[in-house]
Amino acid sequence: AYTEEEEAFLDNCFSERKQLGTKFFIIFGSILFLLYGRFSVPDNEPLCVVDKLMDAFVSVNYFILNNSAWRNALQITCSAFMDVMYLSTAGYWVLYGTSSRLILTTLTFYGTRIII
C-alpha cells in the first residue's frame, strides 16, 4: 500500500511512454551492438580453435555438398519445421495471448536476422 505521493511518483517514473522509450532504446542499442560486432570481427583464423565435431562429420559434409537432392531435401525439411513452429506459435498467441510480447519478440528476432 503506497501513499498518494508515492503512487504519483511511481506513475511518473514508470509511465508507459517512458517504458516504451526505454524499450526502443534497448532494442536500437542491441541492434547497433550486433552490427558493430558483425563488422569488427577479424579476418584471421587462430590456430587454437578446432571444431572437432565438424572434423568428425567431414564425410557427411562432402556427401551433402556433392548431392543436390539431399541438400535440397534437408533445406526443405528445415524450412517446413520452421514454418510449422512459427504458425503454431502465432496460433497459440491468437488463441491464448494476453500481451504483444511474443509477436514483438518474434518480429525483433527476424528483423535483426534480416538486417544482419
Side-chain angles (χ1 to χ4, degrees), residues 13-24:
C13 287
F14 301 108
S15 67
E16 288 183 36
R17 188 174 183 160
K18 285 185 180 181
Q19 287 180 7
L20 188 62
T22 303
K23 290 174 186 178
F24 279 128

Side-chain angles (χ1 to χ4, degrees), residues 24-113:
F24 279 128
F25 177 76
I26 290 171
I27 290 171
F28 185 70
S30 300
I31 291 171
L32 286 178
F33 180 73
L34 290 173
L35 288 174
Y36 174 75
R38 168 106 179 178
F39 295 114
S40 65
V41 175
D43 291 334
N44 60 350
E45 293 186 32
L47 297 175
C48 61
V49 176
V50 176
D51 190 350
K52 293 184 180 185
L53 192 60
M54 181 79 166
D55 290 343
F57 286 99
V58 75
S59 61
V60 174
N61 289 332
Y62 283 128
F63 174 77
I64 292 172
L65 182 65
N66 294 320
N67 293 295
S68 62
W70 275 88
R71 191 171 55 236
N72 292 338
L74 285 172
Q75 189 169 7
I76 291 169
T77 303
C78 290
S79 179
F81 279 131
M82 288 183 68
D83 291 343
V84 167
M85 181 183 68
Y86 177 76
L87 291 174
S88 62
T89 301
Y92 179 84
W93 179 76
V94 167
L95 295 174
Y96 305 109
T98 58
S99 73
S100 60
R101 182 177 178 221
L102 178 63
I103 296 301
L104 290 176
T105 305
T106 305
L107 291 174
T108 302
F109 174 74
Y110 285 110
T112 305
R113 288 192 65 187

